[in-house]
Amino acid sequence: MAIKYMYNAMTQDGLDVHLEPVKIPHWVRGKESAEMIAPRAKSLAILGLGSSVGTPPEGIKAEVLVVQSFDELKQRASEAIGRIVVFNQPFVSYGETVAYRAYGASEAAKVGAVATLIRSITPFSINSPHTGLQDYQDGVKRIPSACITVEDAELMWRMAQRGQRIVVRLTMGAKTLPDADSFNTVAEIPGWEHPEQVVLLSGHLDSWDVGQGAMDDGGGAMISWEALSLIKELGLHPRRTLRAVLWTAEEQGGVGAQQYFDLHKVNMSNFDLVMESDLGTFTPEALQFTGSDAARKVMAEVVKLLAPINTTKLEAHGEGTDISPWLKAGVPGASLHVADSRYFWFHHSEGDTMSVQDPQEMNLCSALWAVVAYVVADLQDMLPR
């Protein structure tokens, strides 16, 4: 429905819009619940992790082993057999700590665990579980995996430290269905001189099934549309084509973007710059850029034009799941650095709603996105590789 909606909205906006079909994974959460039975009765807020298997209909009731790291799990491997392993790892950074969400189930299964409950990957919690993708390793038994709240992970850790026996019942109706049909949504303003050369701006249109996905990544998708919309409204005609792509199935591991890359990499030399916004659209602070030293010099001049909104900083490391195949292939890439300290408070949770978004902050992000995209698209030459 979101793809159809955006196709119509961007068409009505006067842009050239088309859909590119892709095949995507189809995972269904189903009904899920967890409760502590001992040492006392307590319901546990959970969110099953993407691609997880379900439990038998009656659920899994087992004793709990609480660990704080993969190392501790290895040291206590003999205690894990037949247990539900609870990971209570501290939050260091998303990039580092997300390994527990991604690989916790397979690591626990290797030592005989029957399920895993993983402390949500967030620095801040109001008893909120945060979902996300988990990744089974080939040749390892697939066991059910869900995230629990920071509070409940710490509670069970304290109980375990006191030597109390903890029993939990976990019920998950999760299942994976055959791959489904979806689309990457593409809108363009054709270049007047080099229509075959492209500056690509992007965000992803899919989100997890909790909250609204307004922040992750509604904001990134909307500013990529708004940038084109502004340029059209101003009557500007860039030399090269401006292309906004709203990716599908980013959350399952950049699935739509990988298929886009496979389809279009034959024209690699015509991709001037690829841009992605997927870390929130709070107040912009800088543009992050990956490319040659010569290209960086050009981009440093481009961002000087953003002095009126005070975002003239150019930082290293443009990043994004969806543009990473292009970056690895040597195409210059850019991403938005925003005041994102609150991003992981809401990320992949019921809290990711329109209430997180601020129109003025989004206007600033759109302005940065539009200026950078247009100016690069209208330069005499493509960015040097």
Side-chain angles (χ1 to χ4, degrees):
M1 284 168 70
I3 291 168
K4 196 183 262 185
Y5 178 91
M6 290 303 291
Y7 176 86
N8 290 331
M10 293 194 296
T11 302
Q12 279 165 15
D13 198 28
L15 301 170
D16 296 355
V17 191
H18 70 271
L19 300 177
E20 300 189 8
V22 290
K23 282 277 187 207
I24 64 164
H26 185 187
W27 176 80
V28 180
R29 178 179 302 284
K31 283 190 76 167
E32 54 187 19
S33 64
E35 56 270 332
M36 188 193 295
I37 296 159
R40 60 183 174 88
K42 182 190 190 298
S43 73
L44 304 172
I46 67 161
L47 281 174
L49 292 175
S51 86
S52 177
V53 296
T55 63
E58 68 279 8
I60 293 173
K61 179 180 156 187
E63 263 191 67
V64 165
L65 170 67
V66 188
V67 297
Q68 303 234 56
S69 67
F70 289 135
D71 285 343
E72 187 184 351
L73 177 66
K74 285 195 183 87
Q75 286 157 17
R76 302 179 66 185
S78 61
E79 297 173 62
I81 298 164
R83 299 273 185 100
I84 293 172
V85 169
V86 168
F87 285 98
N88 179 41
Q89 77 290 337
F91 181 86
V92 181
S93 68
Y94 184 76
E96 190 171 324
T97 313
V98 76
Y100 286 88
R101 188 190 78 202
Y103 310 123
S106 286
E107 290 303 316
K110 286 175 189 172
V111 290
V114 292
T116 43
L117 295 173
I118 294 154
R119 171 176 160 153
S120 288
I121 314 302
T122 182
F124 177 79
S125 180
I126 309 178
N127 205 49
S128 45
H130 298 243
T131 190
L133 191 67
Q134 71 88 44
D135 195 9
Y136 287 126
Q137 290 168 37
D138 290 337
V140 178
K141 188 177 182 218
R142 301 185 165 203
I143 62 171
S145 190
C147 268
I148 55 174
T149 69
V150 170
E151 292 87 340
D152 286 339
E154 292 187 336
L155 169 69
M156 288 190 271
W157 168 251
R158 291 193 301 272
M159 288 173 164
Q161 290 302 98
R162 291 196 291 265
Q164 289 176 294
R165 178 174 170 270
I166 308 164
V167 178
V168 164
R169 182 187 293 115
L170 173 68
T171 311
M172 289 171 62
K175 55 182 185 287
T176 297
L177 302 174
D179 283 358
D181 294 311
S182 188
F183 302 90
N184 290 317
T185 309
V186 183
E188 292 185 335
I189 296 174
W192 64 264
E193 188 178 357
H194 303 292
E196 74 289 351
Q197 296 173 2
V198 178
V199 169
L200 184 149
L201 321 82
S202 67
H204 65 87
L205 204 48
D206 65 303
S207 77
W208 285 104
D209 57 326
V210 287
Q212 296 174 316
M215 176 193 79
D216 181 17
D217 185 28
M222 288 296 150
I223 68 165
S224 296
W225 169 23
E226 175 71 348
L228 265 63
S229 194
L230 289 168
I231 287 155
K232 185 159 182 64
E233 216 172 292
L234 292 166
L236 297 170
H237 300 285
R239 283 173 201 278
R240 291 175 199 82
T241 295
L242 285 174
R243 180 181 296 168
V245 184
L246 313 183
W247 312 108
T248 190
E250 185 275 343
E251 295 293 3
Q252 289 106 309
V255 177
Q258 184 60 52
Q259 289 175 60
Y260 180 89
F261 177 76
D262 293 341
L263 188 65
H264 294 281
K265 64 185 176 191
V266 53
N267 298 317
M268 181 98 59
S269 61
N270 280 326
F271 280 79
D272 190 8
L273 175 67
V274 292
M275 300 162 61
E276 176 174 11
S277 166
D278 188 18
L279 280 169
T281 47
F282 302 113
T283 304
E285 294 185 342
L287 186 74
Q288 300 164 321
F289 179 73
T290 295
S292 66
D293 290 345
R296 179 169 297 281
K297 286 196 178 88
V298 176
M299 294 304 291
E301 292 301 311
V302 172
V303 294
K304 284 180 186 171
L305 300 168
L306 295 162
I309 59 166
N310 200 25
T311 53
T312 55
K313 247 165 70 186
L314 188 69
E315 295 175 346
H317 306 306
E319 60 175 321
T321 301
D322 297 307
I323 60 171
S324 62
W326 298 96
L327 270 51
K328 284 188 190 116
V331 174
S335 52
L336 201 53
H337 179 184
V338 298
D340 57 6
S341 61
R342 295 180 303 142
Y343 183 77
F344 290 107
W345 297 8
F346 306 108
H347 179 254
H348 295 183
S349 79
E350 289 289 1
D352 182 353
T353 68
M354 283 298 287
S355 298
V356 177
Q357 296 298 110
D358 178 280
Q360 183 52 26
E361 292 175 353
M362 288 190 71
N363 282 344
L364 290 170
C365 290
S366 300
L368 185 157
W369 225 220
V371 168
V372 171
Y374 173 76
V375 172
V376 172
D378 201 52
L379 291 173
Q380 201 74 46
D381 301 305
M382 284 181 66
L383 293 171
R385 296 277 163 106

